Amino acid sequence: MSGHQPPPVVELRGVGLTYPGPPPVEALRPCELTVRRGDFVTVTGPSGAGKSTFLNLVGLLDTQTCGTYLLDGLDTGALGDVDRTALRGRRIGFVFQSFHLLNYRTAVENVALALVYRKMKRVRRVASAREALARVGLEHRMDALPSTLSGGERQRVAIARALVGEPSLLLCDEPTGNLDTATASSILSLLDELNGAGLTLVVITHDAAVARRGGRTLEIRDGRMTEQAVTC
Ligand code: ADP
């Protein structure tokens, strides 16, 4: 490796996962994948194909049963549970279909809570949360409670919460699954914009329209991952 080039954000070398069963289920067959800084990768496939298994592995929520997973060049297989959780907290931001916001906390409090385990003073955490909310276009709704926000605004808060710790990777699971078409489109535009500013994105979706937004598209079928050729 050249001394100047940063390692890929994600590097999977023969990574697979077989649930032990019985009977054993080969949910993700051994696969190779390199995600570099600034990539926008979408992962598509039918229900039961292995998308959640892939997300859980890349998100360090589960551990592969074969192969090597390097995150920012770090061999995740060598880590114990505590280090693994710490690495996940620092390097990966998650965005889910359901926004998982605390209803009795304002937008800015929801975002600042993501930094609670960092060695930062509260005032710094709140300032960072405000910056993250501004990045997603919510500077005017910082002190709103989630119940007073639209679905699209709630997802923006969730994206700000995922971004506030400056993760290496934003991992999104059906990020527009709970939104109407127009709102979904605005969230996808926001993801495009964040990607344009250098954020690395992996978006899991069963929606072909969402999948097309990625610069790279992976498909998982019956646990087998393949990369789709780019069509211009
Ligand atoms: P998707 O997210 O694409 O719907 P999943 O990754 O959830 O697919 O599942 C892939 C396969 O692994 C399916 O056949 C599913 O039944 C199986 N599976 C998922 N979780 C478990 C588990 N904990 N134990 C055994 N099999 C599982």
Side-chain angles (χ1 to χ4, degrees), residues 40 156 159 176 182-196 201 213:
F40 184 169
R156 283 173 192 263
I159 292 171
T176 59
T183 310
S185 166
S186 81
I187 291 293
L188 291 172
S189 300
L190 171 63
L191 293 178
D192 275 341
E193 209 177 285
L194 293 169
N195 175 245
L201 278 168
R213 303 293 282 244

Side-chain angles (χ1 to χ4, degrees), residues 17-21 23-28 44-56 62 173-174 204 220 222-223:
L17 190 148
T18 299
Y19 291 109
V25 176
E26 200 175 19
L28 187 70
T44 187
S47 182
K51 301 185 298 300
S52 304
T53 303
F54 172 84
L55 173 112
N56 291 341
D62 211 341
D173 190 11
E174 302 285 3
I204 312 258
I220 305 183
D222 294 328

